[in-house]
Structure formats: C-alpha cells, structure tokens
Amino acid sequence: MLIGVEETIQWLKNYNDKLSEQKDYLSQLDRAIGDGDHGINMARGFQQVADSLDDDFDDVSTVLKKTATTVMSKVGGASGPLYGTAFLKMSMACKGKEVDAGVFAEMVEAALGGIKQRGKSEEGEKTMVDVWSPVLDMLREGEFDAERLKKTAEDAMQNTEDMTATKGRASYFKERSQGNLDPGAVSSYYLFAELADVIGKGA
Amino acid sequence: MLIGVEETIQWLKNYNDKLSEQKDYLSQLDRAIGDGDHGINMARGFQQVADSLDDDFDDVSTVLKKTATTVMSKVGGASGPLYGTAFLKMSMACKGKEVDAGVFAEMVEAALGGIKQRGKSEEGEKTMVDVWSPVLDMLREGEFDAERLKKTAEDAMQNTEDMTATKGRASYFKERSQGNLDPGAVSSYYLFAELADVIGKGA
Amino acid sequence: MKKLINDPEQIIDEMLDGIVAGSPDDVRRLEDTTVLVRKDAPVEGKVALISGGGSGHEPAHAGYIGKGMLDGAVSGEVFTSPTPDQVFEAIKATDSGQGVLLVIKNYSGDVMNFDMAAELAESEDIKTAQVIVRDDIAVDDPESRRGVAGTIFVHKIAGAKAEAGASLEDVQQTAQKVIDNTRTMGVALSPCIMPTSGEPGFELADDEIELGIGIHGEAGIEKRKHMTADEIATELLERLLPEMDLADSDEIAVMVNGMGATPEMELNVFNRKVQSLLAEKGVKVYDTTVGNFMTSLEMAGCSLTLLKLDDELKELLDAPSSAPAFKK
Amino acid sequence: MKKLINDPEQIIDEMLDGIVAGSPDDVRRLEDTTVLVRKDAPVEGKVALISGGGSGHEPAHAGYIGKGMLDGAVSGEVFTSPTPDQVFEAIKATDSGQGVLLVIKNYSGDVMNFDMAAELAESEDIKTAQVIVRDDIAVDDPESRRGVAGTIFVHKIAGAKAEAGASLEDVQQTAQKVIDNTRTMGVALSPCIMPTSGEPGFELADDEIELGIGIHGEAGIEKRKHMTADEIATELLERLLPEMDLADSDEIAVMVNGMGATPEMELNVFNRKVQSLLAEKGVKVYDTTVGNFMTSLEMAGCSLTLLKLDDELKELLDAPSSAPAFKK
Ligand SMILES: Nc1ncnc2c1ncn2[C@@H]1O[C@H](COP(=O)(O)OP(=O)(O)O)[C@@H](O)[C@H]1O
Ligand SMILES: Nc1ncnc2c1ncn2[C@@H]1O[C@H](COP(=O)(O)OP(=O)(O)O)[C@@H](O)[C@H]1O
Ligand SMILES: [Mg+2]
Ligand SMILES: [Mg+2]
Ligand SMILES: [Mg+2]
Ligand SMILES: [Mg+2]
C-alpha cells in the first residue's frame, strides 16, 4: 500500500500549510502573467479542505471525493474546476481499491485526463498540465520513488518558465509570459512534493 | 489729475502681468484655506481684460466699465462678482469726471461698499475687504502718495494672516485659516501696488 | 497623475460637447455658453428649474437635465462658480413665461453669481425665485452650511413638482421643504487631482481620512487615522440623526454618494452598515440610492444624505424622471 | 491605499448585503450563497437570464438585475470566477420551467465553472443554454477574446427578448447576434488596488498607459507613453471599425465605459472625440451610453464598445428596463 486514509489526510493538510505559506508567492507569480489571485484562491479553498477532514473516512476515495467537492465550491477561478476535477477523477479511480503504486498511476492518469478535458488543454501550453503529464510518465515507468516524484514535478514546474502560454489568463500575455513560472504548475508541484514527503516519511 | 485713460490701461495690463506671474502662488494660498483656484480665476479673467483694452476709450470710466463686465463674465467663483462689482462701482463713481485724488477716494469708497454689499461682509473677516478698507481710510486722509498706498495695502494684506475667516470658502477652515494669508487680500494688494507703480512712474 | 483629457484649458468646453454628443435628442448646448438645456426648452406652461456650479461634480449638474428634473444646467470652470451672464442665458432659454427656479448651493461664489443673474433677469422682466441648498452638517453654523449631495433630492422633487404644473411659488416652497429636511455628511479617503495644475486639491496623509470634507476639498470636521467602513458609517449616522428631528412614524430617503473614485463595491459595503444601523434604531427607510451623484473628480470617499419625507415628498420622489443620472 | 471596507475577507458578503439593503423591493439574496435574484424570481412563463463572474466590476453584474434584463447574478471573489454550486443555485432559483440562459464572459474560469453548473442543472432536468461573450479585440484570436463591457448589451438585449416571451432558443440566438456584432477595446491609465493584498493589480509607470488591457489587468496590446483623450479615442476607433463590417446604412450603439476612477468629465471629453470621428467617417450612431458599467475597482481608464444594430436589436435596446444600473 502506498497511502491510506491517514496519510491522505496528512498529505492534504500539509498541502494546505504549504499553500498558506506560499500564498503571496503564488499570487505574485499570477500577477506577472494573470490576475494575481492564484495564491488566494488555492489557500482559501484548501483551508476549507483541511477543515473538512477531521471526520471519519472509510477509504482514500471518500477523502478525495470530499476534497473534490470542497475545492469545486471554494476555490473558484480556473484552478477551482481544474483541481476539483482532478480530485474527483482520482477519487473515482481508486474507488473500492487500496492505493498502491499502480493504482496511484491510474489515479493521476484519470486526473490528467479530467484536467485536459475540462480545460481543453494539452501539454506545452504552460499550465498545470505540464506538471501532471511528466509526473504521469514517470509513474508509469514502474516502481514508486518518492524522491523521484518530487524531482520530476520540480523539473516539470521549472520547465514552464520558458513556455509561452496559450491557455488561461496567462495566454493574454503571449510572449511576455515567457520567463515566468506558471502559478498553477507551481501549486501542482507543491501537491506532489507534499505527497512525496508524506510517503517518504511513512516508508 | 491722478490717472487718465492711458495710465488706467497700463495699470490693468500690468496687473494682468502680475497675476499671471503670481498665478501659482495665489492658487497655493487658496489651496491652504479654500479650493485652490484663486490664481487661475484671476489670471484667466484679467488676461481677457488686458486683451479687451486695445480699443479706443473716451475716459477712465469707460475703461473701468469694460473691465467690470469682462471680470464679471470671465473670472467666476467668488472673486468674479466681487472684483466685477468693485470695478463697476469705481466706473460709476468717476463717470464724467477727471480722476484726481479726491475722486479716486470716492471710487474706492464706492467699490468697497459694493464688495461689502455683494459679499455680505465686513472688516475683520479675512477677505479682500481687509485690504480695500484700510486703503480707503488712508486715501481719505488727504494728499495722494503712491508709496504710502502701496505700503498700506501691503500691511493690510499681511494683517489678514492672523485673522480667522468667517466668509467665503476659507471660513470652513475656521481656526485652521489662521497663519495663512487670504488669497483675495493678496490679489487686492497687487492691484493697489500696480496702481502705485504706474502713478509713481508717471509722476 | 494621468488624466483622460486633452488641453486642461478646454476641458469644460469639450466635456459639454461630449455630453451633447452622447444625448443629442435630449439636451442641447446654448451656443457660445457653458449652458446645457433640455432639447425642448422652454417647456410650455412649466416652471423651469436651473442648477449649476463649478464643474468636476459630474454627473452634477447636466446629468440631471430631463423631463421631471432640471431644464438647464450651468457649468463653471472646475470647482469655480459660473458667471452671471451664463446663468442669465440659461434663464432666458428655459423660461416659458412661468418663471424660473434657481437651485443654488451655498457657496459665496454661487450665491453671488446666481443672484446677479437674477438681477439681470429682473431687468428683462423674467420672474425668478431662488433656493439655497445647505445640507452639509460638517459646518456648524446652519447659515454657512454648504450645499452637497442633498442637492440631487432638490432637483428630483422640485423638478417633479414643476413637471406637475405647479406655480413658481409652489415649486420654490417644495424645494425649500426638501432643503429643510435634508442633511448630508461626507468623508474623503484621498484627494482629487486638479486638471489645470495636475496637483492634488488638498493633502491627506497615507493613513489619514478627513471627516466632513467639502466637495471641493474644503476642510472638514477632523482628520482621523484610517477607519473601517462600518466605523465611518456609524460616525456619519450618529452626527446626522440628531439633526433630523425624526418622529416615530417618519420615513426617510437615503443617498449613499460616491465622491468619484470609490468602487461601487465599497459604497455597498458602506450602505450595508448604514441600513443595519437605521434598522436597529427603528428608522424607516422608504427609498435608498447608491452611486456617484455629486462627485469631486476622482476623490475617494463618500457622503451620506438623509431626507425626511412626507406624503408629498414621497410622491414627487417616485415620479418619473428621464434625466440620465437619475432615471425613475 | 485606503479603502472604504471592513475585513477584506468579508467584502463580497458585505457588498451583497449592501446591495439588497439598498433595493429590498427589487432583489433578494439566496441564503448562504453569493447569488442575487429578482425579488419575484422565478418569473412565470419567462426564460431566465443569469450572468456573473468575479466581483470588482460593479455595477456588473447585480446592477443589471431587473425587469427586462437579468434574473440573477452570481458573484465570485474579486476577479475570481464563482463556483459551479453558486451558479447552480442561481439557475434553480430563477428557472420557471422555460429554461435559463447563462451569459458567460470568455475566461477559462467562468467558462468551466458555468459549464459545470449547466451539467448539474442537466442532472436535475433544468434546461440551460449558454452564450460566451468575447468582445475584446485586444486579443487577436477571436476564440480567445475576453468578454468585457459589451456584456452589458447582451444583458440588455437578450433580457428584453426574454421579457417579451421568447423561447430559450430564441433568446440564445438573439444574445449570440449581439455578441457577433459587438466589439470593445479599452485603455488603462492607472491600476486598481486588490482589496486582499492592498497591492496594485498590475504595474504602470507614471507616464505610461496600457492599450487593450483586460478588466482584470491582463496584458493589453502595448504600453504607450501618455496620450491625450483624442489620441486614445482615435486609436481605439481605428482598431474597432475594421472589425465591425459596417454597411453604409448600418447604425450602431456606442458605449463609453469608465473603468472605475475616471471622472465622468473625462469620459465625456473622450466621447466628444469618438462621436466626432464617427460623424466624420459617416457612421450613424443610434444610441450612446456614457458611464461606469463594467469597472475594474478603481482602475482609471475607459473602454469603447460598438454594437452594430438591426431593427430587432434597436427595438430590444430601447425596451424598458428596471435594472438600477441600466434603466430604460
Ligand atoms: N484551460 C486551462 N487548462 C489547464 N490549466 C489551466 C487552464 N486555465 C488556467 N489554468 C491553470 O490555472 C492557473 C490559474 O489559476 P487561478 O489564478 O486560480 O485562476 P484564474 O486564472 O481564473 O484567475 C494557471 O496558472 C494554469 O496553470
Ligand atoms: N463673502 C465674501 N466677501 C468678501 N470677499 C470674499 C467673500 N467670499 C470670498 N471672498 C474673497 O474671495 C477670495 C476667493 O476667491 P476665489 O478663490 O477666486 O473664489 P472661490 O472662493 O469661489 O473659489 C477670498 O480669498 C476672499 O478674499
Ligand atoms: Mg488568477
Ligand atoms: Mg477659490
Ligand atoms: Mg472656486
Ligand atoms: Mg482570477
């Protein structure tokens, strides 16, 4: 088993702490190539997620479903439906299952599919997709490795710096979007990094 | 004779030059205890006065009448009707007369009366009245003396600094109006100072 | 400070042309003047209403021209009363023989210039009457109180009275009733920028607001360290209510007026507290208006106006108006 | 920067309560939501119109609720699309069985959130249709164009169509016709201040303006050294007209929209040039509106919207509206 209910809750609570800590940084990234609210949106939504996780949960799927509905109704903006969809798809992909490395890869695959469909987006458009997609590629290669997950997400996040945005608000900045990290890519990197930390510690 | 048509025109043109030179200073005084437009108002109006004085005029009264109507229709604010009235009354007071020292005193008396009536104001309320009134007192004392006229107007203007305004926009500043010169008193001082210069030079 | 203007010297002229260009079927400009009048002026058989003053208070005053409100508006330079000849042109163009009511805000300049215009009208046998609006309670002496946002209620209600065919005396009397029952107080958060100088009209430190400031930046009651919207609403209401002389059965109209640069979002945040305080105190609100009605260029801040109503005033307040800035 | 607010976290909630407190007879708030609806919603036998988006654009969107315009408005946080559950509440509260048209501005967030709400509605057998406003020509690719002030024309005209009893399909079609014929471009002179951070939403040097900026401060076409109002009007018109595909006999509606902090005086100075250029070019103007309709908090600047009209659109544009921000 990779993660159970407790680790999932820990992961999401740690992610919330990270977001509240990096709120201003994320908003600042969004100010450069968007409208400056990404940090506020994510921090607001995941604070609610964290607050909603003190109940008893039967399985990981239920935790993620709860997270999905909270994110959808509390984050707003573009990232709300995208992260909401991602968590919903992850929840569906592990329904009735224990989450091992294989299931987790299926979960990320479902999430990425959901994000791309909801956002009508593809790789290379300087969005969170550009973190989720390399992460999926890595997970598909087999053995789960927390450190590699973190490193892959980080590199992917870094790679958005040189991309030109064609989706979301950053797309209005066209070439001007180059040289700036995509805020959604950064918040997605945090998500995987926090997961890696929780699993790494647990191992 | 104290002044003729030519000196009157010279006086008003010099006054216009002075106003345009001191425009910002007058507005700044008005910003402290009013709404900051006295310099603009006066400079705008007297530029028109200066421009209107290139015609032929029969006598001083006609020059002043022309000035009065231009001031009334071009200055605006509180100072427009007040200076307009002052010039109209001066014009009426010298109608059909040569302007000697006695007539000039009568003219200032009429003007002051007009200002006080139009403005419903009295001495000591920190307005232009506080320059016109001491000037009239001095003129009534007899022999005309350009230097004394200038000095009297200047002292009177200076004395408004410590007064508390009870009329016009400065009155809203109540005690805060103390320590600031009244802008209308300053523009009135300029008027008499320019007259003194024209007469002084002519003598 | 950047402004959307051309030559500051031409700003009034260009604004007036711009207003007419935007409403060519409703208003016209008297040639070579700063006067706008109803396209159909003079309106036969109707007492005319004229208002005006310095510019910079838009939509006041031209925005209130229309059926049921003003017949004409006279604009001076920015924050400077218009001259008597301009007011006189407005009077001549709007008088249908029933006489003209001049709505004057209580500033020395306005009072003198409109009064001189009335003298000119008298000399040509045009009947005029005057009312002087003095709703700003930031000034203690009632005689010296300035006319501010309450002026809009005078336009609306006296305008409806005139539209209903009342005589000059009756329109004047109704206007006076509005004035007697209207009180306003405002607050500034940041100054406006004078177009001619490019300088702020007055000074406010970064953490200061000014309570009771006038619509030209004239001094208010006091400068304060920054307060919340709720604190400001409370403070203004607590000063206004004692002045209103309200009986239990009285109903009031409320106007929350933005000074120019304050977002409507904030005006509504402010209005929320105003209304909840009024409800707490048992004051019945008949009508509320929130928006920019009497501004000071891009000053930030707002004013709060209360008007005590009776049956006549309610009916006239509700009467139709086609004025773009106060459609009913 | 000073603002007339309390807790920035509560600003939307308090604004919404303030709006309702100001118009208790016309709008109501759905409990525990950020949704305002017509007091009489759902209106029997009528297709409902819902609009919304991030807050900070007031009077958009709640100011357009009224007979002849919107049935409901959904507010997100400042500049942040509202969530699907909120939009869904609005749909449920306004649907009378005739279906609901969602007027969506073309931002990823709005499109996704409204679309998810439509899915929720479908799951409960409520018929919805969508139109996506994309009038901002500052963006080249027509598919990516943002929805800005032209949205107000969609509210007005589709709202009148719905009020007249048209079916959901017909209302949608008319709304789409407005969208196809509406083009806007804006300019910013100074940024707005985000209430949560107290920081400017974007940067502009003291002598710079930005042409084609979005209503959330998204990048425009280019930054320029300061230009006069006439130069800006000329530039905007020259970019808009080629997009309008006007025949000689066509008439247009013009909207000069202030971004929040620009005095109405300046909007009229700008409008003067717009109208004189249109006259020079022989473009017939049927209707002009000048004011603050789709703002960005206290951003300074304006936008210019042109709408090509036909007989149907003219009639619907002129139809009555009781919405406080667009009374007709
Ligand atoms: N169509 C899309 N597909 C995928 N990701 C997107 C899309 N649009 C936006 N995003 C992501 O969302 C992030 C912005 O989120 P946020 O700032 O919270 O919302 P908004 O853009 O509505 O202000 C971007 O950095 C990007 O990663
Ligand atoms: N009622 C009054 N009586 C006499 N002088 C007055 C009165 N009101 C104002 N003034 C004078 O006018 C000056 C202000 O003029 P100005 O700034 O041009 O007009 P406004 O006050 O309308 O802006 C004051 O400094 C004062 O001298
Ligand atoms: Mg954003
Ligand atoms: Mg002054
Ligand atoms: Mg003045
Ligand atoms: Mg956003």
Side-chain angles (χ1 to χ4, degrees):
Chain A
M1 194 185 74
L2 200 64
I3 42 169
V5 169
E6 235 151 83
E7 291 88 352
T8 306
I9 291 177
Q10 195 58 50
W11 169 34
L12 293 165
K13 291 199 167 181
N14 291 356
Y15 186 46
N16 173 47
D17 292 344
K18 182 75 178 178
L19 288 171
S20 92
E21 190 188 299
Q22 299 298 330
K23 180 165 113 169
D24 290 344
Y25 172 61
L26 289 172
S27 287
Q28 182 194 319
L29 291 175
D30 194 30
R31 194 144 61 231
I33 57 169
D35 59 353
D37 59 358
H38 187 60
I40 299 174
N41 293 344
M42 293 294 284
R44 178 183 52 238
F46 278 87
Q47 182 59 56
Q48 301 266 355
V49 169
D51 291 347
S52 75
L53 295 182
D54 292 331
D55 292 351
D56 278 344
F57 290 93
D58 287 342
D59 54 20
V60 172
S61 177
T62 325
V63 177
L64 296 176
K65 173 109 194 249
K66 178 81 197 165
T67 301
T69 54
T70 309
V71 165
M72 279 187 198
S73 67
K74 298 299 173 190
V75 173
S79 46
L82 293 168
Y83 276 107
T85 300
F87 280 101
L88 189 65
K89 296 289 178 180
M90 287 199 279
S91 154
M92 285 158 70
C94 68
K95 202 164 180 176
K97 299 180 189 166
E98 281 216 334
V99 180
D100 59 18
V103 171
F104 185 66
E106 282 165 30
M107 286 162 64
V108 171
E109 180 169 3
L112 175 62
I115 293 172
K116 289 166 76 167
Q117 194 187 12
R118 180 60 68 202
K120 300 197 177 63
S121 44
E122 287 298 327
E123 285 78 7
E125 297 179 328
K126 197 182 179 102
T127 69
M128 56 176 72
V129 167
D130 295 309
V131 168
W132 286 77
S133 183
V135 163
L136 175 62
D137 291 344
M138 183 227 97
L139 291 172
R140 277 188 179 139
E141 282 171 25
E143 213 49 10
F144 186 90
D145 175 342
E147 277 314 301
R148 249 190 91 200
L149 170 60
K150 194 165 175 175
K151 184 76 175 53
T152 305
E154 185 173 359
D155 290 347
M157 175 268 282
Q158 274 300 346
N159 286 338
T160 64
E161 182 163 336
D162 295 331
M163 297 179 179
T164 307
T166 62
K167 280 281 144 45
R169 295 199 175 174
S171 67
Y172 302 123
F173 291 77
K174 289 176 273 185
E175 295 72 35
R176 279 200 250 173
S177 68
Q178 283 177 29
N180 292 289
L181 293 173
D182 175 63
V186 176
S187 59
S188 290
Y189 155 62
Y190 293 155
L191 184 70
F192 291 114
E194 293 302 330
L195 177 66
D197 280 355
V198 164
I199 295 176
K201 256 180 239 128
Chain B
M1 194 185 73
L2 200 63
I3 43 169
V5 169
E6 235 150 84
E7 290 88 351
T8 306
I9 291 177
Q10 195 59 50
W11 170 34
L12 293 164
K13 291 197 166 185
N14 291 357
Y15 185 46
N16 173 47
D17 292 343
K18 183 75 178 177
L19 288 172
S20 91
E21 191 188 297
Q22 298 297 328
K23 178 165 113 169
D24 291 343
Y25 171 62
L26 288 172
S27 287
Q28 184 195 318
L29 291 175
D30 194 30
R31 195 147 58 232
I33 57 167
D35 58 353
D37 60 358
H38 187 61
I40 299 174
N41 292 345
M42 293 294 285
R44 180 183 51 238
F46 278 87
Q47 183 59 54
Q48 302 265 355
V49 169
D51 293 347
S52 75
L53 294 181
D54 292 331
D55 293 352
D56 279 344
F57 290 93
D58 288 341
D59 54 21
V60 172
S61 176
T62 325
V63 177
L64 295 176
K65 173 109 194 252
K66 178 81 196 162
T67 301
T69 55
T70 308
V71 166
M72 279 185 198
S73 68
K74 299 298 174 191
V75 173
S79 45
L82 293 168
Y83 276 108
T85 301
F87 280 101
L88 189 66
K89 296 291 178 180
M90 287 199 280
S91 154
M92 284 157 71
C94 68
K95 201 163 183 176
K97 299 180 189 164
E98 280 215 335
V99 180
D100 59 18
V103 170
F104 185 66
E106 283 164 30
M107 286 162 63
V108 170
E109 179 169 6
L112 175 61
I115 293 172
K116 288 165 78 167
Q117 193 186 12
R118 180 60 68 200
K120 301 198 176 61
S121 43
E122 286 298 327
E123 286 77 7
E125 298 179 327
K126 197 182 181 101
T127 70
M128 56 177 71
V129 166
D130 295 308
V131 167
W132 287 76
S133 183
V135 163
L136 174 62
D137 291 344
M138 183 224 98
L139 291 172
R140 275 189 180 136
E141 283 170 24
E143 215 46 12
F144 185 90
D145 175 341
E147 278 313 303
R148 250 191 91 202
L149 170 60
K150 196 166 175 175
K151 184 77 175 56
T152 306
E154 185 174 357
D155 291 346
M157 175 269 282
Q158 275 299 347
N159 286 338
T160 63
E161 184 165 335
D162 296 331
M163 296 179 178
T164 306
T166 61
K167 280 279 144 48
R169 295 200 175 175
S171 66
Y172 303 122
F173 292 78
K174 288 175 275 182
E175 295 73 35
R176 280 201 251 175
S177 68
Q178 284 177 30
N180 292 289
L181 293 172
D182 176 63
V186 176
S187 60
S188 290
Y189 154 63
Y190 293 155
L191 184 71
F192 291 114
E194 293 302 329
L195 177 67
D197 281 354
V198 164
I199 295 176
K201 254 181 239 127
Chain C
M1 174 67 190
K2 290 165 279 183
K3 284 184 170 272
L4 188 65
I5 60 175
N6 300 300
D7 178 358
E9 305 280 329
Q10 302 303 320
I11 194 169
I12 307 304
D13 189 54
E14 294 184 352
M15 167 184 78
L16 293 170
D17 283 348
I19 293 174
V20 174
S23 305
D25 301 331
D26 303 312
V27 295
R28 62 190 164 87
R29 180 171 176 182
L30 302 183
E31 220 174 307
D32 292 326
T33 73
T34 60
V35 179
L36 299 187
V37 298
R38 269 173 70 163
K39 182 85 176 236
D40 57 353
V43 181
E44 263 327 300
K46 191 184 89 71
V47 167
L49 249 82
I50 287 176
S51 186
S55 295
H57 307 299
E58 292 67 32
H61 299 85
Y64 302 108
I65 296 175
K67 197 159 153 42
M69 286 186 85
L70 299 181
D71 295 83
V74 194
S75 298
E77 298 289 323
V78 175
F79 295 173
T80 299
S81 313
T83 54
D85 53 316
Q86 302 292 312
V87 180
F88 182 43
E89 292 301 325
I91 293 173
K92 284 190 292 188
T94 56
D95 179 46
S96 70
Q98 304 301 311
V100 180
L101 180 70
L102 309 179
V103 180
I104 308 170
K105 292 188 294 313
N106 191 30
Y107 299 95
S108 319
D110 285 321
V111 171
M112 291 190 273
N113 284 298
F114 277 77
D115 198 44
M116 287 168 85
E119 288 169 15
L120 292 171
E122 198 188 343
S123 77
E124 296 202 9
D125 290 327
I126 302 179
K127 218 168 36 166
T128 66
Q130 307 181 9
V131 288
I132 305 210
V133 187
R134 21 178 137 239
D135 54 323
D136 186 356
I137 63 157
V139 177
D140 283 335
D141 170 21
E143 281 304 297
S144 306
R145 287 182 171 176
R146 306 170 288 216
V148 288
T151 311
I152 316 305
F153 282 137
V154 180
H155 295 168
K156 175 64 191 78
I157 290 175
K161 186 84 181 178
E163 204 67 52
S167 69
L168 181 58
E169 289 66 31
D170 286 352
V171 176
Q172 181 187 25
Q173 210 171 13
T174 300
Q176 190 58 49
K177 183 159 76 176
V178 177
I179 293 169
D180 293 341
N181 288 297
T182 305
R183 299 291 183 276
T184 300
M185 194 161 131
V187 61
L189 275 63
S190 66
C192 54
I193 311 294
M194 302 298 290
T196 26
S197 66
E199 300 287 327
F202 56 98
E203 308 289 334
L204 266 183
D206 267 356
D207 62 345
E208 258 179 5
I209 64 172
E210 184 152 352
L211 283 175
I213 202 157
I215 53 173
H216 313 94
E218 302 97 336
I221 291 183
E222 53 179 330
K223 296 194 180 184
R224 289 277 190 90
K225 291 291 155 190
H226 189 40
M227 296 160 72
T228 65
D230 284 3
E231 285 165 350
I232 295 173
T234 308
E235 178 95 27
L236 295 187
L237 254 191
E238 263 165 22
R239 289 175 184 265
L240 284 165
L241 282 176
E243 295 266 351
M244 291 296 294
D245 197 19
L246 292 174
D248 273 359
S249 58
D250 283 334
E251 291 180 80
I252 64 168
V254 175
M255 176 178 285
V256 172
N257 170 56
M259 302 309 293
T262 287
E264 218 176 286
M265 174 184 280
E266 300 177 21
L267 298 180
N268 280 303
V269 167
F270 176 84
N271 180 50
R272 171 185 158 278
K273 185 66 179 180
V274 169
Q275 302 288 336
S276 80
L277 286 171
L278 287 170
E280 257 171 46
K281 292 177 199 293
V283 179
K284 293 188 211 77
V285 177
Y286 178 78
D287 185 79
T288 301
T289 321
V290 178
N292 287 340
F293 300 102
M294 178 71 79
T295 62
S296 298
L297 296 170
E298 67 280 82
M299 190 192 288
C302 71
S303 68
L304 176 61
T305 301
L306 307 183
L307 162 61
K308 181 165 84 174
L309 297 166
D310 62 14
D311 289 342
E312 183 198 15
L313 298 187
K314 282 185 204 170
E315 193 186 319
L316 294 168
L317 181 61
D318 291 341
S321 153
S322 74
F326 212 87
K327 283 210 177 122
K328 280 270 185 181
Chain D
M1 174 68 190
K2 289 165 280 185
K3 283 184 171 272
L4 188 65
I5 60 175
N6 300 301
D7 178 359
E9 305 279 329
Q10 301 303 322
I11 194 169
I12 306 304
D13 188 54
E14 294 185 351
M15 166 184 79
L16 293 170
D17 283 348
I19 293 174
V20 174
S23 304
D25 301 332
D26 303 312
V27 295
R28 61 190 165 87
R29 181 171 175 182
L30 303 183
E31 221 174 305
D32 291 326
T33 73
T34 60
V35 179
L36 299 186
V37 298
R38 270 173 69 163
K39 181 84 175 233
D40 56 353
V43 182
E44 263 326 299
K46 191 183 90 70
V47 166
L49 250 81
I50 287 177
S51 187
S55 295
H57 307 300
E58 291 68 31
H61 299 85
Y64 303 108
I65 295 175
K67 198 162 153 40
M69 286 185 86
L70 300 181
D71 296 83
V74 193
S75 298
E77 297 290 322
V78 174
F79 295 173
T80 298
S81 314
T83 54
D85 54 315
Q86 302 292 311
V87 180
F88 182 43
E89 293 301 325
I91 293 173
K92 284 190 291 186
T94 56
D95 179 46
S96 71
Q98 304 300 310
V100 180
L101 180 70
L102 309 180
V103 180
I104 308 170
K105 293 191 293 313
N106 191 29
Y107 298 95
S108 317
D110 285 321
V111 171
M112 290 189 276
N113 285 298
F114 277 77
D115 199 44
M116 287 168 86
E119 289 170 14
L120 292 171
E122 200 189 338
S123 76
E124 296 202 9
D125 289 328
I126 302 179
K127 217 169 36 168
T128 65
Q130 307 181 9
V131 289
I132 305 213
V133 188
R134 21 177 135 241
D135 54 322
D136 186 356
I137 64 158
V139 176
D140 283 335
D141 170 21
E143 281 305 298
S144 306
R145 286 180 172 177
R146 306 170 290 215
V148 288
T151 311
I152 317 304
F153 282 138
V154 180
H155 295 169
K156 176 65 190 76
I157 290 174
K161 186 83 181 178
E163 203 67 53
S167 70
L168 180 58
E169 289 65 31
D170 287 351
V171 175
Q172 180 187 25
Q173 210 171 14
T174 299
Q176 190 58 49
K177 183 159 76 177
V178 177
I179 292 169
D180 293 341
N181 288 296
T182 304
R183 299 291 184 277
T184 299
M185 195 161 131
V187 63
L189 275 64
S190 66
C192 54
I193 311 294
M194 301 300 290
T196 25
S197 66
E199 299 288 326
F202 55 98
E203 308 290 334
L204 267 182
D206 267 357
D207 61 345
E208 258 179 5
I209 64 173
E210 183 152 354
L211 283 175
I213 201 158
I215 53 173
H216 313 93
E218 302 98 336
I221 290 183
E222 53 181 327
K223 297 194 180 184
R224 290 277 191 90
K225 291 290 155 190
H226 190 39
M227 296 160 72
T228 65
D230 284 4
E231 285 164 351
I232 295 172
T234 308
E235 178 94 26
L236 295 188
L237 254 190
E238 263 164 22
R239 290 175 184 263
L240 284 165
L241 282 176
E243 296 265 351
M244 290 297 294
D245 195 21
L246 291 174
D248 273 359
S249 57
D250 284 335
E251 291 180 79
I252 64 168
V254 175
M255 176 177 285
V256 172
N257 171 56
M259 302 309 294
T262 287
E264 217 176 286
M265 174 183 278
E266 299 177 22
L267 297 179
N268 279 303
V269 166
F270 175 85
N271 181 50
R272 170 185 160 278
K273 186 64 179 182
V274 169
Q275 301 288 337
S276 80
L277 287 171
L278 287 170
E280 257 171 45
K281 292 178 199 292
V283 179
K284 292 188 212 77
V285 177
Y286 178 78
D287 185 78
T288 301
T289 321
V290 178
N292 288 339
F293 300 102
M294 178 70 80
T295 63
S296 298
L297 296 172
E298 67 280 83
M299 189 191 289
C302 72
S303 68
L304 176 61
T305 302
L306 307 183
L307 161 61
K308 182 165 84 173
L309 297 166
D310 63 13
D311 288 342
E312 184 198 15
L313 298 187
K314 281 185 205 169
E315 195 186 318
L316 294 169
L317 182 60
D318 291 342
S321 154
S322 76
F326 212 88
K327 284 212 175 120
K328 280 269 184 180

